[in-house]
Amino acid sequence: EIQFPSTGNHFSSARIRYYHVRTTMSHWLVWVLVAGTAALQDRPLPQWFDEAKIGLFMHWGLYSVPAYGNEWYWHNLCSCSSHKGNAGCPTAATAEYSNAMAESVCQFHDRVYGPNFSYSDFAPMFKAELFDAKHWADVFVKSGARYVVPTAKHHDGFCLWGSNVSWNWNAVDTGPGRDLIQMIADTVHNYTNLTFAVYFSTFDWFHPLYLKDKANKGKTQYYVNEVMWPQFKDLVTRFHPSFIRMDGSWEMTTDYWKAGDLLNWLYTESPVKDTVVVTDSWGSDNCIHKETPECSCKYGDSWTCGDHFTPGKVPTHRHKWEHDTTITKSSWGYDRRERASDYKTLDEILRELIPTIAFGGNFLINIGPTHDGRIVPEFEYRLVQMGDWLGVNGEAIYGSNPWMKNQSQSSDIFYTSNQQVVYAIFIGWPEDNTITLTAPVPGNSAQIHMLGYPNLIKWSKASAGTGIVVQLPQLSISGMPCESAWTLKLEDFS
């Protein structure tokens, strides 16, 4: 701290820099984030996040009641001209995202619920009467995930905890009549060794104060001051999430969201200031939702850079990033229309998970619980399959680093490292039981194991060029260590 002689007040150096820059630059946040002691760019990444590698995402809310299309049900409904001003759609609702899904949602809604049935009418139907927090925790653990990320509030503004600035639009005041985030947090903290996290949407599509600020082009901040800030601080103070997956900021600037002030509080005063990891959705001027490389992945302890992002290689910037994906192929929330073919197979999931870890990212996989609080068997089965695979191959995943050799998304062999050991993870068992690894160079004491298999694996130097040829054992299906993707553990290789 530095003492100002003229005032006798004490400020952190981050705040000194903030006040100085705010009076001289319109985009003071950029300076604060880059130069302040609480800076996003300079703050070391808490070690737990990079070591955890695997997270479990859950989209659960009022949209789980109709369970049709996706979690943008209300916005899709209000994007149809026939629903402006009715069915809970304010006349100021925007239609810039109108698409074929919106038309399908409107037709479904009118047919099943009627044109005058409001989105808010779903709230009493969202009862979560079959929600069993301990069973959920059991599934979390079996999945192999190391952190759990429920949606505390999505873009419809409905809170899964008892927010005191979201009266009658939260899970305590209506619907379940219970604080669902509290129940999940308590179960994660008390019955597992997993890390509790949350997803939080900064904006509410149709909140009157947000629409007022939007109409004023962000020159007023009624919504930020009276809703978003209190909600964010309440969420952090009450539930101590160590990871916050931000979203929903792209319509307004970082200045509007007061992101610098909020992050300064998070990093210097909040109860999770030493452990928290936050993602990179902090305003339209951060360009997170634009499809240009120079306009994304700018701020945050971990970059998400938009849904399903992957760099396709080990990034040169070495900044932590995360790949989020769904078990289903269409929606983040539960969709009752989904068929067996709409769920990714274990092999498809691993083809996303393995390169993500090999390229230095974290893997965040999403499920959509039902409105009555169930994790449907299709989701549970895939999560348990993933957990079984991690149970065999986790040594090459958790706490690992990219092995700095050329790797690309098109490969079927991916490398990680952990201390002095190199791991080669290959997708697809070769018909001739041999696999050529061109990158590793053996030392004098080189040996190879396959994770989950008890014996040493035979290998020889490649006859032409560099690398080695590995002779895989002939195994029956029941004798395989796992059913898809296998890991070779290479000791004394460089």
Side-chain angles (χ1 to χ4, degrees):
E1 293 187 336
I2 298 176
Q3 185 172 9
F4 284 80
S6 59
T7 63
N9 292 328
H10 289 72
F11 301 91
S12 71
S13 58
R15 283 210 179 273
I16 293 168
R17 292 175 179 178
Y18 158 65
Y19 284 114
H20 169 71
V21 172
R22 191 176 189 183
T23 60
T24 57
M25 295 177 62
S26 60
H27 297 291
W28 54 265
L29 175 64
V30 175
W31 197 94
V32 171
L33 296 184
V34 173
T37 56
L40 282 169
Q41 300 285 33
D42 295 338
R43 180 177 181 264
L45 178 75
Q47 187 176 355
W48 76 265
F49 186 72
D50 186 49
E51 293 180 349
K53 300 301 183 189
I54 309 295
L56 179 57
F57 207 2
M58 291 170 290
H59 277 68
W60 193 32
L62 292 195
Y63 45 83
S64 306
V65 179
Y68 184 95
N70 55 39
E71 66 286 351
W72 281 52
Y73 188 94
W74 192 11
H75 197 287
N76 285 327
L77 190 66
C78 295
S79 294
C80 298
S81 57
S82 60
H83 281 276
K84 290 293 182 66
N86 72 331
C89 298
T91 55
T94 58
E96 61 263 36
Y97 308 124
S98 182
N99 50 38
M101 176 60 74
E103 294 300 326
S104 177
V105 166
C106 290
Q107 292 174 14
F108 168 81
H109 187 87
D110 291 352
R111 175 172 58 85
V112 176
Y113 303 106
N116 295 319
F117 187 96
S118 171
Y119 184 77
S120 62
D121 292 331
F122 286 126
M125 301 167 68
F126 179 60
K127 292 186 177 296
E129 66 270 26
L130 298 178
F131 172 52
D132 182 342
K134 289 185 179 179
H135 174 67
W136 278 33
D138 182 55
V139 175
F140 300 162
V141 171
K142 288 181 178 179
S143 75
R146 294 291 175 87
Y147 56 102
V148 178
V149 191
T151 48
K153 184 190 78 168
H154 204 263
H155 308 324
D156 59 2
F158 189 84
C159 298
L160 295 194
W161 85 100
S163 169
N164 62 6
V165 294
S166 187
W167 180 80
N168 212 35
W169 197 235
N170 66 74
V172 175
D173 291 343
T174 187
R178 292 170 288 168
D179 194 315
L180 300 178
I181 293 297
Q182 183 74 68
M183 294 175 72
I184 297 172
D186 287 348
T187 304
V188 169
H189 289 313
N190 297 331
Y191 294 97
T192 78
N193 291 321
L194 309 183
T195 298
F196 180 71
V198 293
Y199 163 104
F200 179 78
S201 172
T202 51
F203 77 165
D204 298 4
W205 281 318
F206 306 128
H207 194 290
L209 294 180
Y210 181 70
L211 293 178
K212 184 176 182 179
D213 289 345
K214 192 174 177 180
N216 292 333
K217 301 186 184 301
K219 294 178 181 178
T220 57
Q221 295 168 305
Y222 298 113
Y223 171 77
V224 174
N225 294 332
E226 298 180 36
V227 180
M228 193 277 279
W229 265 52
Q231 284 180 339
F232 184 90
K233 287 189 171 183
D234 182 44
L235 197 60
V236 171
T237 302
R238 289 175 59 184
F239 305 118
H240 296 189
S242 292
F243 173 67
I244 305 173
R245 174 67 162 80
M246 300 297 297
D247 196 8
S249 68
W250 62 85
E251 291 186 342
M252 295 292 198
T253 66
T254 51
D255 200 7
Y256 169 77
W257 297 115
K258 297 185 178 179
D261 280 344
L262 192 60
L263 291 167
N264 186 69
W265 172 82
L266 184 67
Y267 289 151
T268 63
E269 301 176 33
S270 80
V272 292
K273 59 186 176 63
D274 297 323
T275 60
V276 71
V277 173
V278 67
T279 59
D280 55 356
S281 181
W282 287 106
S284 58
D285 42 336
N286 286 350
C287 310
I288 298 305
H289 280 259
K290 296 184 180 179
E291 299 297 326
T292 53
E294 68 275 9
C295 227
S296 60
C297 308
K298 293 181 69 173
Y299 304 126
D301 299 306
S302 178
W303 292 346
T304 55
C305 311
D307 294 344
H308 306 285
F309 168 76
T310 178
K313 61 181 181 180
V314 179
T316 56
H317 54 66
R318 299 304 304 275
H319 193 97
K320 190 62 188 179
W321 61 277
E322 184 178 57
H323 172 70
D324 55 8
T325 190
T326 56
I327 289 181
T328 59
K329 299 176 182 178
S330 56
S331 175
W332 295 88
Y334 180 61
D335 187 347
R336 289 182 289 170
R337 301 175 304 161
E338 287 161 350
R339 301 176 179 179
S341 59
D342 293 318
Y343 290 83
K344 294 173 184 174
T345 65
L346 175 63
D347 185 74
E348 289 175 308
I349 291 170
L350 293 178
R351 286 180 182 274
E352 293 184 66
L353 184 156
I354 294 166
T356 295
I357 306 304
F359 299 156
N362 274 24
F363 184 74
L364 184 63
I365 190 164
N366 176 79
I367 61 172
T370 62
H371 75 285
D372 54 11
R374 292 174 296 117
I375 299 174
V376 296
E378 293 87 347
F379 283 134
E380 184 172 342
Y381 181 59
R382 285 293 180 269
L383 291 176
V384 171
Q385 281 187 306
M386 184 180 77
D388 288 344
W389 186 88
L390 287 165
V392 174
N393 301 278
E395 180 181 331
I397 302 297
Y398 304 117
S400 68
N401 296 299
W403 191 53
M404 299 305 296
K405 299 283 185 179
N406 288 333
Q407 301 187 68
S408 69
Q409 194 79 34
S410 61
S411 174
D412 277 342
I413 302 173
F414 298 92
Y415 296 95
T416 65
S417 63
N418 204 332
Q419 297 181 353
Q420 302 302 314
V421 178
V422 175
Y423 300 92
I425 309 173
F426 59 99
I427 302 173
W429 193 279
E431 292 184 3
D432 63 357
N433 290 321
T434 63
I435 185 169
T436 300
L437 305 178
T438 59
V441 177
N444 294 331
S445 303
Q447 61 179 15
I448 299 177
H449 286 89
M450 183 164 62
L451 297 185
Y453 179 73
N455 303 325
L456 282 171
I457 302 296
K458 296 179 180 179
W459 63 275
S460 60
K461 291 184 178 181
S463 57
T466 60
I468 60 173
V469 177
V470 179
Q471 182 64 52
L472 300 173
Q474 293 188 358
L475 299 174
S476 64
I477 293 177
S478 61
M480 290 282 189
C482 47
E483 64 179 273
S484 182
W486 300 266
T487 302
L488 297 174
K489 180 178 181 179
L490 283 61
E491 297 178 272
D492 193 25
F493 281 82
S494 60

